[in-house]
Amino acid sequence: MSGLLALLDDVAAIVKLSAAQLDDIAAQASKAGVKAAGVVIDDAAVTPKYVTGLPAARELPIVWKIARASFFNKLVILLPIALLLNAFLPWMMTPLLMIGGSYLCFEGAEKVWHLLVPHKEHGPQQAETLDAAHLEEQRVKGAIKTDFILSAEIMTISLAQIDIDSVWIQGAALAAVAIGITALVYGAVALLVKADDLGLLLSVKGKLAASRKLGRGIVKSMPSVMVVIATVGTVAMLWVGGSIIVHGLHDLGWHLPYEQIKDVASAASSAVGTAQGFVNWAVTAGLDGIIGLMFGFLLIPIVTRGLVPITGWLFPEKS
């Protein structure tokens, strides 16, 4: 009997330890996922363009192909690489984060620049101009390449936010972030690409006047919804990218931008009577976003006139 009680006590201790570790994993995954918000929103805003011009019946299968590749990229390729780098080459994490932050700043600033200085848009290639199957294959390949870059950002940013040394909790938290974010992004994308079809169906076949009106409202609102998502994604990219650059410089020894932003945010929060925490966060995020925008503007000519031609020369596209 005493042996049985000791065994039950051991089992209870193991259960408590497992529960504590699950709590740690959930907390770390939540913390890491919030910081990756900028990349997530941009991913959701970018992906729907890859189904434009293709048959409606192929929209969800295409989204699933991209989502499946995204799961593979995050869980099979990027997660082990991130854990190995963090374990054996931790000094590389800050430079890698800053490279990723630079990418976010560039992407956000380029969107703002195109808004300020409109470029002639040729529009998406339609299925009538190319074999639909071949066009779908090209779109999926392009989307998977873009997703790989964004996924690398998500995993790197997320890992940097995990402050527990256990490699198992780090891996589990990263896996939870990868699964949760991918499901969230591509679930949202699936809803976005089919929302207009649902609205059209309701507007035509709805049995009630209210449902038909709702369907017309969905169809009319979708362009505005996409604009809002793209705008929020751009702002979030600049905020996250600028924050990564500021914190990276701080970690590397240049403390001025970080300290200045901290002082301004502290002064602003002290000047208000209520919601000091929100004011502190808003000012910090706003200044990080401005720095991200300015840094992104500096990167535009470097990327477009330097890196892109060099990359095209080194890796020519096959005709």
Side-chain angles (χ1 to χ4, degrees):
M1 181 60 71
S2 62
L4 178 60
L5 291 176
L7 176 60
L8 291 176
D9 186 61
D10 290 341
V11 171
I14 293 172
V15 170
K16 288 180 181 179
L17 178 61
S18 300
Q21 290 182 335
L22 287 174
D23 287 341
D24 289 339
I25 291 169
Q28 295 298 319
S30 176
K31 178 183 175 182
V34 169
K35 195 64 177 180
V39 194
V40 173
I41 298 172
D42 183 62
D43 205 358
V46 166
T47 306
K49 74 177 183 180
Y50 292 106
V51 300
T52 303
L54 290 168
R58 295 301 305 159
E59 290 177 344
L60 291 182
I62 290 172
V63 172
W64 169 239
K65 284 183 181 180
I66 302 169
R68 187 172 55 196
S70 184
F71 279 117
F72 182 85
N73 289 339
K74 291 185 180 75
L75 296 173
V76 179
I77 299 176
L78 294 171
L79 191 152
I81 291 175
L83 292 177
L84 288 173
L85 286 175
N86 193 49
F88 298 104
L89 297 171
W91 57 268
M92 287 188 63
M93 296 307 296
T94 295
L96 286 174
L97 271 173
M98 294 183 71
I99 291 172
S102 300
Y103 171 78
L104 294 178
C105 292
F106 167 75
E107 283 286 305
E110 189 179 40
K111 293 175 193 283
V112 175
W113 180 253
H114 285 174
L115 181 65
L116 297 175
V117 184
H119 291 64
K120 184 178 180 181
E121 296 288 348
H122 299 288
Q125 189 177 27
Q126 299 298 314
E128 291 78 13
T129 64
L130 189 65
D131 176 68
H134 183 49
L135 177 58
E136 177 178 325
E137 182 181 358
Q138 286 185 333
R139 294 276 183 85
V140 170
K141 286 182 179 178
I144 291 173
K145 289 179 182 177
T146 301
D147 177 87
F148 186 86
I149 296 172
L150 296 175
S151 294
E153 285 308 296
I154 289 170
M155 300 300 280
T156 307
I157 294 171
S158 299
L159 181 59
Q161 301 305 308
I162 298 174
D163 53 12
I164 290 182
D165 294 332
S166 170
V167 67
W168 301 111
I169 292 181
Q170 290 176 357
L174 274 182
V177 169
I179 294 171
I181 283 180
T182 305
L184 175 64
V185 167
Y186 289 99
V189 168
L191 289 175
L192 287 172
V193 299
K194 301 307 291 185
D196 53 352
D197 293 341
L198 174 62
L200 184 61
L201 181 65
L202 286 174
S203 64
V204 174
K205 297 186 177 181
K207 295 182 179 180
L208 301 175
S211 61
R212 292 193 295 271
K213 184 177 180 180
L214 175 63
R216 291 192 295 269
I218 292 174
V219 173
K220 291 179 180 179
S221 66
M222 284 312 299
S224 299
V225 169
M226 295 305 299
V227 169
V228 170
I229 292 174
T231 302
V232 173
T234 300
V235 172
M237 275 195 300
L238 293 172
W239 158 49
V240 175
S243 176
I244 290 172
I245 297 299
V246 170
H247 282 79
L249 293 174
H250 179 67
D251 292 341
L252 293 176
W254 190 30
H255 308 296
L256 181 62
Y258 177 85
E259 296 295 341
Q260 290 286 345
I261 291 175
K262 184 178 178 181
D263 291 342
V264 172
S266 179
S269 62
S270 299
V272 299
T274 58
Q276 291 185 346
F278 173 77
V279 171
N280 189 292
W281 172 84
V283 172
T284 302
L287 293 175
D288 285 340
I290 292 172
I291 289 177
L293 179 62
M294 296 299 102
F295 184 58
F297 280 151
L298 291 176
L299 290 175
I300 289 176
I302 297 174
V303 172
T304 55
R305 298 179 184 178
L307 294 180
V308 170
I310 292 174
T311 303
W313 178 69
L314 291 175
F315 306 100
E317 293 186 1
K318 295 180 181 180
S319 58

